[in-house]
Amino acid sequence: DILQWPQISKCRSPEMETFSCFWTAGNFYNLTVPRILQLLYKKSNEEDWKECPDYITSGQNSCYFNASYTSVWTPYCVQLASKNEVYDKKCFSVDEIVLPDPPVHLNWTLLNTSQTGIHGDIQVRWDPPPTADVRKGWITLEYELQYKEVNETKWKELKPRLSTMVPLYSLKTARDYEIRIRSRQRTSEKFGEFSEILYVSFSQIGIGCDHCTEEVEFPWFLVVVFGVCGLAVTVISIMLSKQPRLKMLIFPPVPVPKIKGIDPDLLKKGKLDEVNSILACHDSYKAQLYCDDLWVEFIELDIEDPEEKNRASDTDRLLSEDHLKSDSCLGTKDDDSGRASCCEPDIPETDFSASDTCDATSDSDQFKKATEKEEDLLCLERQDNDESLPNLASTDPQHQHRNIQSENSNVWAPFDGSIESPHLSVHTQISNQNSLTSTDFYAQVSDITPAGRVVLSPGQKSKLGRAQREGCTEQNFTMDNTYFCEADVKKCIAVTSHEENEPCVQEQGYNEDGYFTTESLTTTVANLGASTAAPPSSEMPVADYTSIHIVQSPQGLVLNATALPVPEKEFNVSCGYVSTDQLNKIMP
Amino acid sequence: MSAKGASLKGLLLMALLVSHMLLTKEGVTSLPICPKGSVNCQLSLEELFDRAVKLSHYIHFLSSEIFNEFEERYAQGRGFIAKAVNSCHTASLTTPEDKEQAQQIHHEDLLNLILGVLRSWNDPLIHLASEVQRIKEAPETILSKAVEIEEQNKRLLEGMEKIVGRVHSGEVENDIHTSWDGLPSLQLADEDSRLFAFYNLLHCLRRDSHKIDNYLKVLKCRLIHDNNC
């Protein structure tokens, strides 16, 4: 056994008027000679230790200090000692050790019962401990009530309160309850002992509900089942409902990548006509998306085509690199018409690109996919663009170049600048094959068909049909030459001059841009050569519109057709070749 | 700057604490308020005593808490308890030490004594609020409580002076209060000694606030409810 010394277990004052100290004797008492324990005390302002005045009143191993010995706010020290030894010591003041007695005279009364008789409210009353002088205000107590059902183990607590009565609500009349109360001094933390237990039994009063013993438990299972079913029904009904707004509210649609105005289904189904028409409306869209792709595609196509290889020299290819980009725009696949504008969207007037576009799309066998639709698109695009007419005009010289068997003639030099010619030749070589369509600088659009095709004014334009092409090809124009003689051109033109005007965008497999006309070709030739042996009146050379377009410097200048008569003589001199100097002379 | 920041925080915390206290405890705010300066407004003696008792109870509650917190934070292991056979500076005031004495003393004398004790604590509380901030890493709660106690003590003093003015029939007795000279001990360089000085002061504060609270309740029951609370 462990040796336990005597020690003071606690000192307690129930009412702040008396106090008692309790101690334990320990177990050595039995082992050795019995010793007598003493409790000595001392007030703070005293010197001597005094012995406990009363060992009996509080029971064994206790010391009781009555009111005469008690000073409330005076510090005390007590010590447990025998004759020789001090075993334990404690110092305190009485106001710190107040632990009230339990309340007495607990009782309860019924307040009311519920309609069903299953629950009832009661009021519990009690009296303060008799020792505590509450009436004179010497001590202020607060009470804590605890209750539980008889067969429960855990007590429910109420908040401490000053009053000596408390209502309890919603007790089950079928069950019996136990109530107990304890008190403490108001500013203390420790509670005194619990009072005796009060038993509450409704059956004693006669309102017990024996047959109500079955408690109506909350039907959790049913609630969950029905809740889930209801929710499922609601969700299904919402999903199936035709009300789009409701559906959107509950199930908001997940945004998918979408382009305004473009239906993804349309793209999938691949109706090129519609797709092209739609895409024509999105210049920027094309510009962003297709440049690089076109570039790549164009290169690939370029390689694949043996004709292209044959025609283009290395130099030309290199030169063309600069324009491949724009050309690549042209190298549009079927659904990518209008790429041309994409590549150089910031260059409105200098439609080098624009012309390229037209060219490219209208172009070579490589791009056999190019359909009427493309032409339509191009024409449409032109229509949509503000620059359409100027573009047309500006592209003319280039187109004209291309038209002529993809060979640049010297004739065109004044328009495009000699420097430009190789470009153009390259362009034409690359872009065009056997295409003889030519256009005026300008062509007046007289109408737009519902299908989206452009109808150009008849006087200005005649679209070259295959016949034209064939006619020109028969001439055996050398494709490799950058230039060709105007005589040849004249022939070509003459052949084609009788062609009637055709709508800009027409035939299937027609790769040329519809804006090319022999008439424009004729016009320039006539002007240059000062020869009036122009094509018939139906193709009066002078276009409705003429303009001077200044293309980017390396590419030369585009001259107004009407201004051409001046340099005619000079041009006559050389065979279809005009040098830059001559060109400069021409220009005012 | 940290002190200023701490004091700002302390004030804010105190404001929150006060509002919390007033709302959750027996709020003094529930009592009717007599606007300052109004001549005709006369609170009854009962109302005055009710307020005074509530204030004194609140002050004692704060004092208990601040003492407990301080003891928990700083006094553990320093053996302060053993040394707490102390004498408070108000020990010279002979106040009733038990119930008989409290019942036998004349209520005017008791009121004067209460006033004396409250006045004696004016000065120490001011210094407590300021010096406790210099304790190393003093918790905000201690700081805020110290400030709050000092403020409430002032209010209680005003209330008591009103009550004394009402109750006192004869001349107003001389102001009996004791001076406090414990400020140097709160500013000792040695941390242990300084903390012990704080401990004693807070211990005395708890005791004296309990005394005042008890006396006022006795007086209230005696004067207002005729010994039948």
Side-chain angles (χ1 to χ4, degrees):
Chain A
D1 286 340
I2 302 170
L3 199 66
Q4 286 176 343
W5 289 95
Q7 59 185 11
I8 300 169
S9 55
K10 70 173 179 182
C11 289
R12 170 183 170 246
S13 169
E15 76 289 80
M16 220 161 60
E17 296 172 42
T18 66
F19 71 100
S20 306
C21 282
F22 305 89
W23 66 85
T24 56
N27 57 4
F28 83 106
Y29 186 71
N30 295 333
L31 301 173
T32 58
V33 174
R35 298 172 192 256
I36 296 175
L37 290 170
Q38 286 178 323
L39 188 80
L40 304 172
Y41 74 95
K42 186 172 79 128
K43 284 189 184 178
S44 63
N45 50 4
E46 288 170 359
E47 297 280 337
D48 300 326
W49 289 92
K50 296 176 189 167
E51 195 167 353
C52 166
D54 188 340
Y55 285 101
I56 301 166
T57 310
S58 296
Q60 200 174 17
N61 293 339
S62 73
C63 181
Y64 174 73
F65 297 84
N66 61 21
S68 59
Y69 288 97
T70 308
S71 301
V72 178
W73 293 282
T74 307
Y76 279 82
C77 281
V78 295
Q79 62 180 23
L80 190 67
S82 66
K83 278 186 185 166
N84 300 326
E85 293 181 70
V86 174
Y87 300 111
D88 198 2
K89 187 181 173 187
K90 256 193 179 160
C91 291
F92 54 87
S93 60
V94 178
D95 55 299
E96 295 166 2
I97 56 168
V98 176
L99 277 178
D101 288 332
V104 293
H105 305 149
L106 275 72
N107 59 12
W108 68 276
T109 53
L110 182 72
L111 288 175
N112 51 25
T113 58
S114 63
Q115 280 185 346
T116 54
I118 298 177
H119 293 101
D121 307 332
I122 62 170
Q123 177 103 314
V124 184
R125 276 200 168 88
W126 62 90
D127 286 338
T131 51
D133 191 353
V134 186
R135 282 181 60 185
K136 294 204 179 111
W138 181 245
I139 190 169
T140 311
L141 298 175
E142 60 183 8
Y143 307 94
E144 182 193 66
L145 184 141
Q146 296 183 359
Y147 70 99
K148 70 175 180 66
E149 288 179 27
V150 173
N151 51 6
E152 276 180 357
T153 52
K154 205 170 175 199
W155 290 88
K156 292 178 198 161
E157 296 176 7
L158 297 183
K159 253 175 58 178
R161 60 193 66 211
L162 289 171
S163 60
T164 56
M165 62 173 80
V166 155
L168 285 179
Y169 299 111
S170 266
L171 299 182
K172 300 181 193 108
T173 52
R175 304 284 173 90
D176 291 345
Y177 286 86
E178 293 176 347
I179 297 174
R180 63 181 186 181
I181 306 172
R182 60 181 180 174
S183 63
R184 68 173 175 191
Q185 195 187 27
R186 197 141 153 249
T187 48
S188 301
E189 290 179 357
K190 292 181 187 169
F191 280 98
E193 293 294 321
F194 278 106
S195 65
E196 290 181 356
I197 290 180
L198 176 70
Y199 285 95
V200 176
S201 175
F202 291 94
S203 54
Q204 283 179 2
I205 308 183
I207 58 167
C209 183
D210 291 333
H211 55 275
C212 300
T213 51
E214 296 175 9
E215 285 185 5
V216 182
E217 290 180 356
F218 197 74
W220 287 108
F221 179 70
L222 283 176
V223 164
V224 166
V225 166
F226 279 109
V228 168
C229 286
L231 196 67
V233 165
T234 311
V235 166
I236 289 169
S237 64
I238 287 172
M239 281 173 58
L240 295 178
S241 78
K242 305 287 181 180
Q243 284 266 5
R245 285 174 68 184
L246 183 66
K247 214 170 174 180
M248 292 253 300
L249 192 70
I250 310 286
F251 302 108
V254 177
V256 293
K258 215 175 176 182
I259 302 161
K260 244 189 192 173
I262 293 184
D263 180 13
D265 290 336
L266 183 65
L267 287 174
K268 283 181 204 167
K269 286 167 193 169
K271 278 215 162 184
L272 287 171
D273 299 358
E274 297 159 13
V275 170
N276 287 337
S277 65
I278 290 168
L279 287 177
C281 304
H282 298 270
D283 296 340
S284 59
Y285 173 67
K286 292 177 223 144
Q288 292 155 12
L289 289 181
Y290 294 105
C291 275
D292 294 338
D293 291 340
L294 285 174
W295 176 261
V296 172
E297 290 165 1
F298 182 79
I299 292 174
E300 292 172 355
L301 288 167
D302 193 15
I303 292 168
E304 289 166 5
D305 188 348
E307 268 185 307
E308 289 291 340
K309 277 185 185 172
N310 294 334
R311 284 188 226 148
S313 64
D314 290 342
T315 322
D316 292 335
R317 275 220 194 93
L318 284 173
L319 287 172
S320 73
E321 290 298 322
D322 295 336
H323 300 281
L324 266 181
K325 226 178 185 177
S326 53
D327 281 341
S328 63
C329 289
L330 305 178
T332 49
K333 297 293 173 100
D334 12 345
D335 50 346
D336 290 331
S337 53
R339 281 180 198 178
S341 65
C342 84
C343 285
E344 297 179 33
D346 296 333
I347 308 172
E349 308 290 54
T350 59
D351 325 299
F352 198 64
S353 55
S355 61
D356 288 348
T357 312
C358 259
D359 269 347
T361 50
S362 61
D363 168 284
S364 51
D365 298 338
Q366 294 176 355
F367 310 101
K368 285 202 175 166
K369 289 184 186 176
T371 60
E372 290 178 355
K373 310 301 176 192
E374 292 181 3
E375 293 162 346
D376 280 339
L377 283 170
L378 289 170
C379 289
L380 270 182
E381 184 188 347
R382 298 289 162 70
Q383 295 298 322
D384 295 339
N385 291 343
D386 294 336
E387 318 142 0
S388 56
L389 296 178
N391 285 346
L392 290 174
S394 58
T395 57
D396 278 340
Q398 299 164 357
H399 291 303
Q400 291 164 358
H401 276 279
R402 296 189 192 104
N403 288 336
I404 302 173
Q405 301 282 325
S406 74
E407 287 180 351
N408 295 329
S409 64
N410 298 336
V411 174
W412 308 128
F415 298 93
D416 299 322
S418 55
I419 299 173
E420 199 181 31
S421 322
H423 272 316
L424 294 171
S425 67
V426 168
H427 282 279
T428 53
Q429 288 172 5
I430 294 168
S431 61
N432 297 332
Q433 295 175 6
N434 303 325
S435 59
L436 260 186
T437 57
S438 62
T439 54
D440 282 342
F441 285 156
Y442 302 96
Q444 183 181 13
V445 175
S446 57
D447 193 10
I448 300 177
T449 64
R453 298 176 185 178
V454 169
V455 177
L456 299 177
S457 60
Q460 295 311 311
K461 184 169 165 126
S462 63
K463 192 156 187 192
L464 289 181
R466 296 184 190 114
Q468 291 176 353
R469 267 181 278 159
E470 290 165 4
C472 284
T473 51
E474 290 168 2
Q475 302 287 337
N476 291 330
F477 288 132
T478 325
M479 304 304 276
D480 290 331
N481 289 344
T482 307
Y483 314 103
F484 61 94
C485 291
E486 71 182 22
D488 293 336
V489 173
K490 278 184 189 172
K491 288 177 198 170
C492 189
I493 291 167
V495 170
T496 62
S497 62
H498 292 286
E499 286 293 333
E500 290 181 357
N501 298 330
E502 292 179 7
C504 172
V505 181
Q506 294 294 333
E507 301 142 276
Q508 197 76 21
Y510 181 68
N511 293 333
E512 278 298 330
D513 183 278
Y515 296 111
F516 294 115
T517 61
T518 44
E519 183 176 0
S520 56
L521 194 68
T522 309
T523 304
T524 51
V525 171
N527 288 335
L528 288 173
S531 62
T532 56
S537 60
S538 63
E539 303 192 348
M540 283 309 295
V542 180
D544 285 345
Y545 309 94
T546 59
S547 71
I548 298 174
H549 290 275
I550 300 179
V551 192
Q552 287 175 353
S553 50
Q555 294 156 4
L557 302 170
V558 176
L559 295 179
N560 191 323
T562 55
L564 289 175
V566 174
E568 286 170 12
K569 298 169 191 172
E570 297 175 2
F571 289 123
N572 281 334
V573 171
S574 59
C575 185
Y577 178 86
V578 173
S579 65
T580 327
D581 297 335
Q582 291 170 330
L583 183 65
N584 290 338
K585 288 177 198 168
I586 295 168
M587 294 306 297
Chain B
M1 297 314 280
S2 65
K4 277 191 183 174
S7 71
L8 264 173
K9 276 195 236 171
L11 279 173
L12 184 63
L13 197 61
M14 178 201 68
L16 288 172
L17 178 69
V18 169
S19 59
H20 167 75
M21 291 256 177
L22 293 178
L23 290 171
T24 56
K25 303 294 175 186
E26 294 170 359
V28 286
T29 53
S30 61
L31 288 176
I33 296 175
C34 205
K36 243 184 182 178
S38 59
V39 179
N40 295 329
C41 177
Q42 274 271 348
L43 283 173
S44 67
L45 198 62
E46 180 178 356
E47 283 168 348
L48 284 173
F49 262 107
D50 276 345
R51 285 200 196 190
V53 166
K54 283 195 164 77
L55 269 174
S56 66
H57 171 73
Y58 182 49
I59 290 169
H60 177 56
F61 171 78
L62 287 174
S63 306
S64 295
E65 296 235 313
I66 195 174
F67 177 76
N68 289 337
E69 283 177 26
F70 186 89
E71 186 179 35
E72 194 181 318
R73 178 89 166 77
Y74 296 105
Q76 303 293 346
R78 289 177 204 257
F80 284 168
I81 298 176
K83 294 184 206 165
V85 184
N86 53 8
S87 60
C88 300
H89 69 286
T90 52
S92 60
L93 296 171
T94 50
T95 52
E97 286 294 308
D98 57 29
K99 192 175 81 172
E100 280 81 27
Q101 289 178 18
Q103 284 180 331
Q104 283 165 15
I105 190 171
H106 196 265
H107 64 269
E108 289 180 13
D109 295 331
L110 190 57
L111 282 169
N112 282 333
L113 274 173
I114 292 170
L115 271 178
V117 173
L118 289 173
R119 288 195 188 112
S120 303
W121 274 102
N122 237 350
D123 208 31
L125 284 175
I126 291 170
H127 288 105
L128 175 72
S130 63
E131 294 299 323
V132 79
Q133 292 178 15
R134 307 226 179 100
I135 298 177
K136 205 169 42 171
E137 295 172 0
E140 275 300 326
T141 49
I142 289 181
L143 296 172
S144 61
K145 284 189 177 83
V147 174
E148 176 68 4
I149 291 169
E150 192 242 323
E151 173 131 343
Q152 297 302 325
N153 195 67
K154 276 197 192 122
R155 290 180 62 193
L156 181 59
L157 194 55
E158 290 172 11
M160 288 314 300
E161 281 168 353
K162 274 195 190 144
I163 290 174
V164 167
R166 291 277 193 90
V167 169
H168 232 39
S169 55
E171 289 180 4
V172 180
E173 262 195 42
N174 283 342
D175 190 7
I176 45 166
H177 72 279
T178 55
S179 59
W180 176 67
D181 56 358
L183 182 58
S185 62
L186 291 184
Q187 295 168 330
L188 288 172
D190 177 34
E191 193 189 349
D192 266 4
S193 307
R194 189 155 49 92
L195 288 175
F196 182 60
F198 273 106
Y199 182 85
N200 279 337
L201 189 64
L202 291 174
H203 192 261
C204 286
L205 177 63
R206 185 178 75 162
R207 177 185 300 167
D208 283 349
S209 61
H210 189 242
K211 262 191 199 175
I212 290 167
D213 189 37
N214 248 73
Y215 295 157
L216 279 172
K217 283 167 184 166
V218 168
L219 276 176
K220 180 184 164 191
C221 284
R222 195 204 289 186
L223 296 178
I224 309 296
H225 302 281
D226 201 20
N227 277 334
N228 194 17
C229 279

